[in-house]
Amino acid sequence: MFNTFKRFENFGHSLNAPGYRILARATDDIRAAFDLAKKRGLTVAARGAGRSYNDASLNGGGIILDLSAMNLIQSWNPATGVVRAEPGVTLEQLWQKIEPDGWWPPVVSGTMKTTMGGCLSANIHGKNNFKMGTFGEHVIEFSAILPTGAEVTCSPKKNADLFHAMIGGYGMLGIFTSVTLQMKRLHSGLLSVDAYPAPNLRRHLFALQDGAPDHDYIVGWMDTFAGGSSLGRGQIHAARHLREGEDPKPQETMKLTNQILPPYIFGVFPKSLLHRFMKPFANNIGWRMVNLAKYVASLPKHTFRQSHAAFHFLLDYVPNWELSYGRGGLIQYQSFLPKETAESAWAEMLSLSQKRGMPAFLGVTKRHRPDKFLLTHAVDGFSLALDFKVTDATRPQMRDMLQEFDRIVVAGGGRFYFAKNSETTAETALAFYGEETVKKFKRLKKRCDPNGLLESDLYRRIFG
Amino acid sequence: MSESSKLTPSTPLNPRKRAIVIGASVGMGAALSRKLAKEGYSLALVARQKEKLDALCGEINAGGERLALAYPHDVSKYSEVPALLHKIVSDLGGLDVVVFLAGVNYPPGGNDKYNFENDRKMVEINLIGAMAWLTPVAEMFQSAKAGQIVGIGSVAGDRGRVANPGYNTSKAALHTYLEALRNRLTRHGVNVLTVKPGFVKTDMLKAAAGPTPFAIEPEKAADDIYKAMQKRRQTVYTPFFWAYIMQIIRHIPSFIFRRMSF
């Protein structure tokens, strides 16, 4: 099996961990992978699209079970909006299948390249977390194979403990083989989007909280370079679905041709080359200018209509944008804080990053509410996701800074999201999950995986 | 290995490269291991002598972070290699570099003496030992389209001389083997570095027959090897001037060379 050794990276290209790749085409291949792991004394981790910013789908020196080929939409009912899909089906496949019939996934990530297995494992959220919760809240039922070889079916009622632990369990308990989901009805292919500026952090958070009830989606962009009285300023995008009758031609706007992101900008320039032209700007001065220009452009308050795909999948707008961060790649640091402590914690973190000369290049805020899953990242509050460029020169200082961030977040009763953060230690994880939760998870782990076959680099870092 | 002996995890802000050093316990192997640990590598140290291996491991890990793991192994036990390699790569969390330094030198004890058993041991360890390890490693690196193989040859492999036919043969064959791997693997993005040390002040040197001019400390050799690794060179002499000396020696015509005493 030495000739199956492949190099795998995280989405940000800031980590690499080679392992033995096994491509699963059917559920029997999953069992075979567990058998092989047992025989060779190795571990197995699942991988779909590899879109996690950290080590969730890496298993250095172990087996990488590649589920991207199990990508069949097994059934779709346009009357009820219920879809059944294999774990390798991407959000892109899903929305392109259902949107022409007038449906949309209830929760989507900022990229459409993620797979069902990945969305379930990380229990992803979208810009509508405050209203629709996480991806897992729309699962009617799923099947999975446990490392013991047993096949289980879980729903909110049946095997409820496993249901609430495997969703958001980062593939550490079993491998999803099929998921049944409820989609959301659309009355138009367009969203109505309100865009308005927020001049400082307090107004920014207030805008997120205040704008949420009247909208279906809300997201903030933050100018991470602005300091002083403008600290935390940015722009809010709040969108709502069009009601029945608001769109005179829903059949027309829901056509795929009116949704798909154009491959060119200004109608002529290929976007696939754009990341190369962004590269010279990927430094403190370049991004300061970009942030400033973006803020100035955001000042006039306006309302416009935008297709679902264009509104949601911002990360796909420039293909391979993450390559513009250069050789060291990028990391994302996302913190979730209760609404009472968010302002002071983020003010401290933003000032710290500016003072240390390591400002984030991009900041994105969202509004959240808690959910019932065991390893939940959600709080009744907000999240702030910060993108940092990694270079050889700044690694040690940045590491120290992020450890300080972790302390600020934990002290503020905050949480982290393991599709994003790559530097969180086992101690920090224990601190925000609480001993009770970690014990409960480990008990389930022992039950599902008595031989410890399912392990990713993330698992070893957080629970190892 | 117990659960408590896990290496410090590699993260984007504390990335560790991963290397296996075979023949790590003493001399050049120990010096190179110390150097690599300092330069940000997580290490699997492989050698026969468990006590020395554990001592080196303890020394490297003394700083607080766990950077090295010890694997006692005799490179002439070829059939153990695949399973051990699986285990090491799993413990290291991947693999970037493999350094094969294991080697023995048993001079026959005079220019007119012969000793097949000693010659055989040298070939079994210096050459076949290397092939046993580097075959699966080459397969892995070829598949991953990344990696670096470092083989420690010797100036003694550049010419067959009167003093030690078995040693010359084992090292010359190793050079050829490494060259062949290089020709196979360069197109897959893998670097194969052949290191040809002159005399290095190690235990092996004490056993050497004849004069040992320009002997250097193992630390100096380790620095040279590390530099060559970073530049992804193909062949390097340490110290560098052996390249010129060996250029001359390689060109001494046979009618003279076969009459020489060295």
Side-chain angles (χ1 to χ4, degrees):
Chain A
M1 73 189 284
F2 291 114
N3 62 3
T4 60
F5 199 66
K6 300 281 173 211
R7 198 167 183 272
F8 294 99
E9 288 188 335
N10 61 344
F11 175 53
H13 304 290
S14 51
L15 265 179
N16 84 79
Y20 311 97
R21 174 174 173 266
I22 292 181
L23 183 67
R25 294 189 184 279
T27 51
D28 282 350
D29 297 337
I30 299 172
R31 286 199 181 89
F34 285 128
D35 288 344
L36 182 68
K38 214 166 160 181
K39 205 171 97 194
R40 296 283 165 95
L42 297 173
T43 58
V44 181
R47 186 173 171 100
R51 288 275 150 166
S52 169
Y53 284 84
N54 67 10
D55 44 7
S57 66
L58 297 178
N59 183 18
I63 293 171
I64 290 286
L65 185 61
D66 184 342
L67 295 157
S68 58
M70 284 179 69
N71 62 351
L72 197 70
I73 296 179
Q74 294 156 306
S75 69
W76 163 237
N77 185 338
T80 60
V82 173
V83 67
R84 195 163 149 257
E86 287 188 328
V89 169
T90 61
L91 277 178
E92 182 172 23
Q93 270 176 281
L94 180 64
W95 77 258
Q96 295 194 354
K97 170 97 181 170
I98 65 172
E99 206 261 357
D101 293 331
W103 298 86
W104 187 256
V107 172
V108 296
S109 45
T111 165
M112 60 173 106
K113 306 295 178 189
T114 46
T115 62
M116 295 298 110
C119 291
L120 281 175
S121 295
N123 198 15
I124 63 156
H125 60 262
K127 301 169 180 69
N128 56 356
N129 187 248
F130 59 94
K131 189 161 263 179
M132 298 294 274
T134 56
F135 194 80
E137 292 179 43
H138 306 278
V139 174
I140 297 167
E141 182 182 282
F142 68 75
S143 322
I145 291 183
L146 304 182
T148 54
E151 186 157 7
V152 290
T153 305
C154 303
S155 73
K157 296 254 166 65
K158 187 176 169 193
N159 292 320
D161 55 344
L162 260 188
F163 181 87
H164 291 99
M166 281 191 69
I167 294 177
Y170 292 90
M172 300 185 279
L173 297 174
I175 305 287
F176 297 113
T177 52
S178 174
V179 56
T180 309
L181 289 155
Q182 176 64 54
M183 298 294 110
K184 184 184 161 44
R185 202 78 182 97
L186 291 182
H187 299 293
S188 167
L190 299 173
L191 291 165
S192 170
V193 186
D194 298 323
Y196 43 98
N200 57 43
L201 185 56
R202 175 165 295 177
R203 298 271 294 275
H204 191 132
L205 297 180
F206 180 77
L208 286 175
Q209 186 171 351
D210 191 50
D214 302 331
H215 292 91
D216 294 303
Y217 302 95
I218 197 157
V219 61
W221 161 78
M222 189 182 280
D223 177 355
T224 43
F225 288 84
S229 60
S230 298
L231 189 80
R233 74 180 177 190
Q235 184 186 24
I236 308 294
H237 279 105
R240 60 175 182 82
H241 287 287
L242 295 185
R243 286 179 289 272
E244 209 169 347
E246 269 190 286
D247 183 354
K249 285 181 185 166
Q251 294 313 321
E252 181 63 24
T253 55
M254 287 193 292
K255 268 191 190 159
L256 275 190
T257 45
N258 290 324
Q259 292 286 335
I260 287 170
L261 306 176
Y264 300 97
I265 53 166
F266 311 127
V268 287
F269 190 81
K271 286 204 294 191
S272 56
L273 292 177
L274 204 56
H275 70 90
R276 294 173 196 270
F277 290 87
M278 287 161 63
K279 210 166 178 172
F281 292 94
N283 53 50
N284 285 359
I285 297 166
W287 273 92
R288 177 186 286 275
M289 292 184 334
V290 171
N291 274 267
L292 178 67
K294 195 167 154 59
Y295 182 71
V296 172
S298 78
L299 285 174
K301 186 174 171 174
H302 56 294
T303 298
F304 57 97
R305 287 187 179 185
Q306 195 174 22
S307 77
H308 292 274
F311 177 78
H312 287 293
F313 304 124
L314 208 61
L315 292 182
D316 301 325
Y317 192 75
V318 179
N320 299 321
W321 60 271
E322 76 281 2
L323 294 176
S324 70
Y325 278 78
R327 207 170 48 86
L330 83 145
I331 54 168
Q332 190 169 94
Y333 185 95
Q334 187 172 27
S335 49
F336 293 73
L337 279 153
K339 53 185 190 295
E340 297 76 19
T341 56
E343 189 190 336
S344 62
W346 287 333
E348 198 179 342
M349 283 158 58
L350 288 166
S351 316
L352 197 65
S353 73
Q354 292 170 2
K355 207 168 71 194
R356 302 261 173 102
M358 291 178 286
F361 284 1
L362 183 70
V364 174
T365 55
K366 292 192 207 94
R367 174 85 172 104
H368 297 271
R369 69 150 164 82
D371 57 59
K372 288 189 289 189
F373 295 92
L374 184 63
L375 299 183
T376 180
H377 58 266
V379 293
D380 180 10
F382 311 98
S383 72
L384 169 63
L386 300 170
D387 284 8
F388 291 97
K389 178 177 172 161
V390 178
T391 66
D392 289 340
T394 55
R395 274 197 186 103
Q397 297 100 292
M398 196 174 279
R399 195 181 173 201
D400 291 346
M401 184 173 81
L402 295 197
Q403 297 304 335
E404 279 178 60
F405 281 12
D406 279 3
R407 280 192 287 276
I408 296 169
V409 173
V410 171
R415 290 178 165 262
F416 299 105
Y417 178 38
F418 286 118
K420 302 284 180 73
N421 293 29
S422 53
E423 302 293 321
T424 319
T425 60
E427 295 76 52
T428 306
L430 184 66
F432 80 81
Y433 279 138
E435 261 175 53
E436 202 48 46
T437 301
V438 172
K439 256 193 212 148
K440 206 167 162 190
F441 179 76
K442 286 194 167 168
R443 268 202 305 274
L444 276 171
K445 174 78 177 164
K446 199 142 215 178
R447 196 175 94 200
C448 297
D449 185 12
N451 298 310
L453 295 177
L454 260 182
E455 278 193 7
S456 58
D457 284 352
L458 171 69
Y459 176 80
R460 288 185 284 267
R461 176 162 63 88
I462 299 303
F463 294 112
Chain B
M1 205 176 341
S2 69
E3 281 295 303
S4 62
S5 62
K6 282 218 174 102
L7 292 165
T8 303
S10 177
T11 67
L13 297 183
N14 185 28
R16 308 288 310 174
K17 284 192 172 185
R18 298 138 298 206
I20 305 178
V21 182
I22 303 149
S25 62
V26 291
M28 231 185 320
L32 184 62
S33 299
R34 288 190 195 100
K35 173 80 182 165
L36 290 177
K38 215 166 25 185
E39 298 292 344
Y41 280 79
S42 292
L43 296 172
L45 308 177
V46 181
R48 248 183 321 175
Q49 308 177 57
K50 187 173 184 308
E51 293 73 31
K52 285 186 181 166
L53 204 54
D54 288 343
L56 177 67
C57 212
E59 181 197 322
I60 289 174
N61 293 334
E65 280 194 303
R66 196 166 181 93
L67 308 178
L69 300 169
Y71 301 88
H73 162 76
D74 178 344
V75 296
S76 63
K77 301 227 163 81
Y78 314 129
S79 61
E80 288 177 6
V81 173
L84 183 56
L85 184 58
H86 272 307
K87 173 157 180 49
I88 289 176
V89 175
S90 161
D91 291 346
L92 283 180
L95 189 62
D96 300 293
V97 173
V98 174
V99 187
F100 190 89
L101 287 124
V104 290
N105 186 358
Y106 303 121
N111 288 359
D112 50 357
K113 298 279 197 311
Y114 297 87
N115 187 332
F116 172 68
E117 272 315 308
N118 280 352
D119 287 353
R120 175 176 164 165
K121 269 187 219 155
M122 287 192 278
V123 171
E124 280 176 354
I125 291 166
N126 303 358
L127 175 65
I128 307 181
M131 292 169 81
W133 273 93
L134 298 184
T135 299
V137 166
E139 209 176 343
M140 289 167 88
F141 284 167
Q142 173 175 315
S143 173
K145 300 198 177 300
Q148 185 169 43
I149 292 173
V150 182
I152 308 298
S154 169
V155 293
D158 277 1
R159 204 76 207 255
R161 295 183 292 113
V162 291
N164 199 344
Y167 189 67
N168 295 154
T169 304
S170 71
K171 290 297 185 181
L174 180 61
H175 294 169
T176 306
Y177 178 67
L178 292 169
E179 184 191 5
L181 284 189
R182 177 181 309 124
N183 294 339
R184 280 190 163 212
L185 294 175
T186 303
R187 71 196 67 185
H188 296 291
V190 181
N191 172 242
V192 180
L193 169 66
T194 308
V195 181
K196 297 181 180 179
F199 297 110
V200 183
K201 291 177 187 161
T202 61
D203 293 344
M204 194 191 276
L205 193 72
K206 290 175 199 152
T212 55
F214 317 121
I216 56 165
E217 295 298 330
E219 287 70 29
K220 161 75 177 127
D223 286 350
D224 283 353
I225 295 169
Y226 181 69
K227 259 183 235 153
M229 282 168 64
Q230 278 202 304
K231 290 185 185 151
R232 293 178 81 83
R233 297 214 18 212
Q234 307 190 358
T235 303
V236 67
Y237 286 87
T238 168
F240 72 96
F241 53 77
W242 277 99
Y244 304 106
I245 298 173
M246 294 319 293
Q247 191 72 359
I248 295 165
I249 291 179
R250 266 207 310 274
H251 287 89
I252 297 174
S254 175
F255 74 90
I256 299 174
F257 207 64
R258 62 185 183 246
R259 287 177 174 81
M260 287 173 72
S261 67
F262 107 109

